[in-house]
Amino acid sequence: MKTLMIQGTTSDAGKSTLVAALCRVFVKRGIKVAPFKPQNMALNSAVTKEGGEIGRAQALQAIAAKVEPQNDFNPILLKPNSDTEAQVIVHGKAISNMEAGTYHNYKQVAMDAVLASHKRLAKQFDLLLVEGAGSPAEINLRENDIANMGYAEAVGCPVIIIADIDKGGVFAHLVGTLALLSESEQARVKGFVINRFRGDISLLQSGLDWLERYTKKPVLGVLPYLHDLALDAEDAVAIDNKVTTATINIAVLLLPHISNHTDFDALRLHPNININYVRHTHAIPPVDLIIIPGSKNVLGDLSFVKNEGWDTQIKRHIRYGGKVLGICGGMQMLGNSIADPMGVESSLKRVKGLALSDFDTTLSTQKVLTKVTAAMQLNNLQTPCSGYEIHAGISVGAALNKPFIIFNAHPHGFENDGFISDDNAIAGTYLHGLFDEPAATLQILKWVKSDAAIQPVSIVAHREQQLERLATMCEAHLNIQHITSICEGDNNDGYK
């Protein structure tokens, strides 16, 4: 198996997007390709075919490569539940929470898991396109590195470095990054890609020529700034979706530990839906629907909601005829209480819920991870839907006797999920990805506003269009032939 690694000068340089684009470019050329990220830190995750958990970016890259997401595509996933602690997920399964210092000492074990995944993938694929994490030049993280050059040195793969010119200082970023690498690591770098350029390329040419002379490394392409590019985000919440002709207005509470905010991408992309992400210190505006999203630290985020005064504002919203939807951790907040006796997510043992529905939740060390098909019970209809579950909580109580979701079949034997309040104003579900289904989205929008005559966006079709757009752009602006030769080991300074 050939392996090529994409590293970046900074976070958000474009590594995830370039790997996704190259996955699509090479699969269109008949190459059996897979994405890979040795170590990922993100709260946005996806469920694999094995019932494991990987980063959202690798799931998107798998779609670009036209393969089913699997655990080995992201062997180490870190999901922060505080500023200093994260849940460590190895080969799709959570093993424990670790403080930063503890995890640093664990990295050798983590590297063994990374190399085991690499070895298994080598038996399945012709080409592995690997995404680094952050920057390879973080001096304090170089020891026992598994995310960037530590991995590249271990498997002996070539590296391309990408930098974002839109941030400014692109030449300093590239030259400085290269200078902070060891001699063997510098030799492993086979070229540069400059991302998000806008303007006249001829005005950049003198800088490109200088960069090649100074570093003796080729510039493999300059990618233009793609306006309105919208793909599944790994970390940052995309909030620039204000519309001028909104039929439905939605508020999503921007929790400190919000997870799987990609749940709302299909809504965010709709030209007649306005989503307002309500930030710290901001009041919830007048809207048709308030969504409480998932959270990686539900008890902590529930306390945050109360401190912001959002609990009072949610109750006022309901009194004035508004709807409320809780998803996963957001649903748990709607109940009477949430208990975490084992310290799964935080040191808080028990927090009183918003008491908007009669049930209680207890977190356990056993996480539910599964994809499901089901029927959504809403508007006196049963609408086929599908989605995925990622949660450590089990909820019980009278409110759940009127479920929101009826499963076709469930690996854990559950028959139903969530609830609808007796007054039809509040709903909750553990199911992520509901809005990815146009038919289910339509029923939810009708529940929110019965006279809303809008057709939902198909996020699947939109994602596919964006991936094709990316691939076409890369084929036009990158030296794919040179990149292919790097993958093949040609002009590779002895590295294979």
Side-chain angles (χ1 to χ4, degrees):
M1 179 181 66
K2 307 298 181 183
T3 302
L4 174 65
M5 189 170 197
I6 306 298
Q7 297 180 7
T9 56
T10 61
S11 295
D12 198 33
K15 298 182 294 292
S16 299
T17 303
L18 180 57
V19 169
L22 290 176
C23 280
R24 180 54 58 93
V25 168
F26 283 114
V27 79
K28 288 170 69 175
R29 297 180 177 214
I31 297 171
K32 194 173 182 182
V33 60
F36 189 71
K37 186 162 185 171
Q39 174 187 288
N40 197 348
M41 178 177 282
L43 290 177
N44 258 9
S45 60
V47 176
T48 65
K49 64 180 182 181
E50 304 102 322
E53 207 174 348
I54 63 172
R56 171 67 54 174
Q58 283 60 65
L60 172 68
Q61 292 158 358
I63 293 170
K66 300 188 177 182
V67 294
E68 187 77 14
Q70 56 179 280
N71 293 342
D72 282 329
F73 291 169
N74 177 205
I76 305 294
L77 175 62
L78 307 176
K79 300 186 77 173
N81 46 32
S82 75
D83 290 344
T84 60
E85 185 183 77
Q87 184 180 62
V88 180
I89 296 167
V90 180
H91 294 147
K93 300 300 181 184
I95 60 166
S96 69
N97 292 333
M98 292 188 191
E99 293 285 342
T102 303
Y103 178 72
H104 183 75
N105 297 327
Y106 179 80
K107 281 185 177 180
Q108 186 52 58
V109 177
M111 176 62 95
D112 292 341
V114 167
L115 296 179
S117 289
H118 179 99
K119 186 175 181 179
R120 285 192 289 267
L121 293 173
K123 298 176 182 179
Q124 304 175 51
F125 297 95
D126 303 321
L127 174 62
L128 197 65
L129 292 173
V130 185
E131 178 188 343
S135 160
E138 303 289 355
I139 302 302
N140 58 309
L141 300 177
R142 294 293 302 276
E143 185 181 0
N144 299 326
D145 169 57
I146 68 173
N148 290 297
M149 282 298 179
Y151 164 83
E153 295 268 79
V155 303
C157 73
V159 173
I160 293 172
I161 297 180
I162 185 170
D164 180 2
I165 195 171
D166 195 53
K167 290 184 172 70
V170 70
F171 298 112
H173 283 170
L174 288 168
V175 172
T177 297
L178 194 65
L180 291 174
L181 302 179
S182 71
E183 186 175 341
S184 65
E185 292 167 349
Q186 290 177 2
R188 199 167 292 288
V189 176
K190 302 305 171 186
F192 306 122
V193 171
I194 293 177
N195 193 25
R196 299 190 183 109
F197 176 77
R198 30 184 154 191
D200 184 349
I201 190 69
S202 66
L203 299 178
L204 184 64
Q205 192 59 50
S206 61
L208 302 180
D209 295 340
W210 175 88
L211 182 64
E212 291 186 334
R213 287 195 306 269
Y214 187 86
T215 64
K216 297 179 174 57
K217 309 284 185 184
V219 176
L220 299 167
V222 178
L223 300 177
Y225 191 105
L226 285 185
H227 295 276
D228 302 321
L229 179 67
L231 285 168
D232 308 48
E234 187 170 54
D235 292 307
V237 180
I239 60 174
D240 54 342
N241 72 306
K242 295 288 186 180
V243 299
T244 56
T245 57
T247 303
I248 292 181
N249 289 282
I250 299 173
V252 177
L253 304 188
L254 197 54
L255 306 173
H257 303 92
I258 186 173
S259 64
N260 293 79
H261 56 74
T262 46
D263 279 343
F264 317 118
D265 281 355
L267 300 177
R268 183 174 57 81
L269 295 171
H270 199 289
N272 300 119
I273 295 176
N274 182 57
I275 292 187
N276 188 316
Y277 287 93
V278 187
R279 299 169 175 267
H280 170 52
T281 74
H282 290 196
I284 301 175
V287 291
D288 303 298
L289 171 67
I290 295 173
I291 297 178
I292 310 176
S295 165
K296 188 61 188 70
N297 187 335
V298 183
L299 282 79
D301 283 355
L302 175 55
S303 298
F304 174 84
V305 167
K306 295 176 181 178
N307 290 337
E308 293 292 309
W310 291 344
D311 53 341
T312 302
Q313 296 168 35
I314 290 169
K315 292 172 183 176
R316 184 177 65 234
H317 166 81
I318 295 170
R319 288 199 306 272
Y320 280 86
K323 305 286 190 181
V324 174
L325 174 64
I327 298 176
C328 199
M331 183 192 83
Q332 294 172 350
M333 294 182 194
L334 293 170
N336 295 317
S337 68
I338 306 173
D340 188 4
M342 305 297 292
V344 174
E345 293 186 352
S346 75
S347 59
L348 299 173
K349 296 300 183 183
R350 187 180 186 88
V351 174
K352 184 178 179 181
L354 300 179
L356 293 171
S357 191
D358 186 16
F359 68 92
D360 298 273
T361 299
T362 301
L363 304 189
S364 69
T365 55
Q366 191 67 33
K367 185 182 289 190
V368 176
L369 289 163
T370 187
K371 295 181 179 180
V372 295
T373 59
M376 183 177 67
Q377 300 199 121
L378 201 58
N379 304 325
N380 297 317
L381 295 171
Q382 285 202 348
T383 304
C385 64
S386 63
Y388 60 99
E389 292 180 78
I390 305 178
H391 60 93
I394 298 297
S395 300
V396 294
L400 306 181
N401 293 330
K402 189 177 179 182
F404 185 56
I405 299 291
I406 304 295
F407 295 120
N408 295 335
H410 197 288
H412 296 271
F414 301 139
E415 295 182 359
N416 49 54
D417 165 76
F419 72 92
I420 292 283
S421 63
D422 290 337
D423 62 3
N424 203 38
I426 309 169
T429 178
Y430 274 115
L431 211 58
H432 293 285
L434 268 181
F435 294 111
D436 292 359
E437 294 277 345
T441 301
L442 182 61
Q443 289 306 318
I444 294 173
L445 296 179
K446 285 185 175 180
W447 170 66
V448 173
K449 205 170 187 177
S450 60
D451 60 349
I454 60 175
Q455 291 300 314
V457 169
S458 170
I459 194 67
V460 174
H462 181 272
R463 184 185 292 124
E464 187 64 22
Q465 183 269 334
Q466 295 291 291
L467 288 170
E468 286 294 324
R469 180 187 179 198
L470 269 180
T472 300
M473 181 265 289
C474 282
E475 288 173 321
H477 295 278
L478 294 182
N479 189 335
I480 299 297
Q481 183 176 353
H482 194 158
I483 293 173
T484 301
S485 72
I486 292 171
C487 295
E488 294 293 334
D490 301 333
N491 187 29
N492 207 19
D493 299 339
Y495 292 109
K496 297 181 181 178

